[in-house]
Amino acid sequence: MGTKIVGTGSYVPERVISNEQLELFLETSDEWIQSRTGIKERRISDTEDTSDLCAKAAKQILANAGVDAKEVGFVIVATMSPDYLSPSTASLVQDKIGAHSVMSFDVNAACSGFIYALSIAEKLMQSGSFRYGLVLGGEVMSKIVDWNDRSTAVLFGDGAGGVLLEHTSEESFVLGEDIHADGSRGEALTAGKVAFSERWGPQPATPLDLLQMDGRSIFDFAIRSVPKSIMDLTEKTGTQFEEVECIIAHQANYRILKAIAKKLKVPVELFASNIHKYGNTSAASIPILLDELVAGGELVLGSKKKVILTGFGGGLTWGSMLIQL
């Protein structure tokens, strides 16, 4: 028993925020942002929450695959910016798309979330209990970013993307994976801390904390851990980089992509990128980029081409997957 990807899709809000617009209230500049991150603009939601973005991406995925929502066996959403702590964003998406009563849950592994969710989903599909499974990554980072903090405000954007998996008698699309977490370094990126109180009874509500990030620690973590993860993955699967069509990495910072490519001794062109348009969309960045490549004809579902997916972020979490389309 195996699994294959039969559809991709994505959705980003209409509102575009350029670097020049950030100059109006932050001590920054277009040149400073582009030279350090590769970001030119990002999409920001005005009224749509995470479940709304994910539902629109999901409907596009199903339409592209020609599959009715009633045939979907489960919905998994990777996000660090859910609509609520409860209900899950996946449950809200399930209702919005009409996949009623099916198993639905969220995965929070921050910017590695889509890798984690895809790994879980593939194993659920291997059970043979489902014909189709929907895996989404969606974020409204704009609601948890501190827009007064120049170090983080310039980085993030909103969006959603995902894939539809189908049970098949062929081999699985996942050829290998290498997935990790290190909670001892979790404080390097935090958001939404819910304060603990030792007393019970009526008391003022405590607002959720906004995103805080130690940029230097995250940069160092990424350029150390990600190349090793990719190398371990290629060694475990006996894969040469010449066999890989492209590497779809989490779109955090173009300087990070260049540093990873240098450590791997591969051309940076092997790394697909759209960070200039969307910024860092956390768990949504990998599926949005995957869908753009499929929609643009650069990658073809069913072609058996090999692609490496790699994510890294809060947790700290990181992971890589070798897949064949």
Side-chain angles (χ1 to χ4, degrees):
M1 293 185 293
T3 309
K4 62 181 178 180
I5 297 174
V6 292
T8 67
S10 61
Y11 175 79
V12 293
E14 292 184 6
R15 188 179 185 189
V16 178
I17 300 296
S18 67
N19 291 342
E20 288 81 4
Q21 287 171 275
L22 296 179
E23 292 177 13
L24 299 176
F25 61 91
L26 289 173
E27 188 179 340
T28 189
S29 69
D30 175 58
E31 188 281 329
W32 187 91
I33 297 170
Q34 285 202 52
S35 65
R36 286 162 176 78
T37 69
I39 300 169
K40 295 181 181 180
E41 59 188 35
R42 70 284 297 145
R43 300 298 183 96
I44 299 297
S45 176
D46 285 321
T47 59
E48 299 164 308
D49 211 337
T50 305
S51 66
D52 298 311
L53 303 190
C54 287
K56 289 184 177 181
K59 289 176 181 178
Q60 186 189 89
I61 295 166
L62 294 170
N64 289 342
V67 173
D68 191 280
K70 294 181 177 64
E71 298 182 74
V72 173
F74 61 80
V75 179
I76 304 176
V77 172
T79 185
M80 64 175 288
S81 56
D83 293 29
Y84 304 94
L85 292 178
S86 182
S88 71
T89 301
S91 293
L92 300 175
V93 172
Q94 177 223 76
D95 177 58
K96 291 175 192 286
I97 67 174
H100 301 301
S101 298
V102 302
M103 178 172 65
S104 303
F105 60 93
D106 291 354
V107 172
N108 182 353
C111 305
S112 306
F114 187 73
I115 298 290
Y116 271 61
L118 197 57
S119 175
I120 293 167
E122 191 257 352
K123 292 168 181 60
L124 285 173
M125 295 295 292
Q126 293 280 14
S127 72
S129 300
F130 309 96
R131 182 179 179 188
Y132 294 106
L134 195 55
V135 187
L136 303 161
E139 305 283 11
V140 178
M141 296 299 292
S142 58
K143 68 183 181 182
I144 63 173
V145 165
D146 181 352
W147 288 100
N148 296 308
D149 178 6
R150 182 184 71 165
S151 66
T152 56
V154 303
L155 299 176
F156 294 95
D158 304 337
V163 299
L164 182 70
L165 304 182
E166 181 181 14
H167 183 266
T168 174
S169 58
E170 303 171 14
E171 67 176 324
S172 174
F173 76 101
V174 177
L175 303 180
E177 59 182 38
D178 181 82
I179 301 175
H180 304 275
D182 181 1
S184 70
R185 293 185 284 174
E187 296 294 319
L189 196 160
T190 62
K193 182 175 182 180
V194 181
F196 172 78
S197 175
E198 292 184 356
R199 67 183 184 88
W200 66 276
Q203 54 189 291
T206 303
L208 298 178
D209 287 342
L210 296 174
L211 185 143
Q212 299 177 51
M213 183 174 73
D214 182 341
R216 171 50 59 185
S217 293
I218 296 296
F219 187 93
D220 291 345
F221 146 70
I223 63 174
R224 291 174 186 271
S225 300
V226 177
K228 183 179 186 304
S229 175
I230 293 173
M231 286 302 300
D232 288 349
L233 176 66
T234 56
E235 288 174 9
K236 284 191 290 189
T237 57
T239 303
Q240 303 297 316
F241 285 114
E242 291 77 13
E243 303 173 57
V244 176
E245 195 73 9
C246 68
I247 298 174
I248 300 177
H250 165 52
Q251 303 291 289
N253 183 316
Y254 195 68
R255 289 173 65 194
I256 290 178
L257 298 187
K258 290 197 291 186
I260 294 171
K262 185 176 180 180
K263 284 210 168 189
L264 293 174
K265 298 180 181 178
V266 300
V268 71
E269 290 76 19
L270 185 61
F271 285 77
S273 181
N274 61 5
I275 193 171
H276 60 290
K277 294 191 293 184
Y278 304 125
N280 180 342
T281 55
S282 187
S285 73
I286 291 174
I288 289 174
L289 181 49
L290 173 61
D291 177 55
E292 284 199 339
L293 295 171
V294 171
E298 296 166 75
L299 294 176
V300 178
L301 298 182
S303 65
K304 302 298 183 182
K305 296 289 187 180
K306 293 180 180 179
V307 174
I308 291 175
L309 310 179
T310 188
F312 50 92
L316 294 175
T317 59
W318 67 102
S320 302
M321 301 180 79
L322 177 66
I323 68 171
Q324 63 176 4
L325 299 175

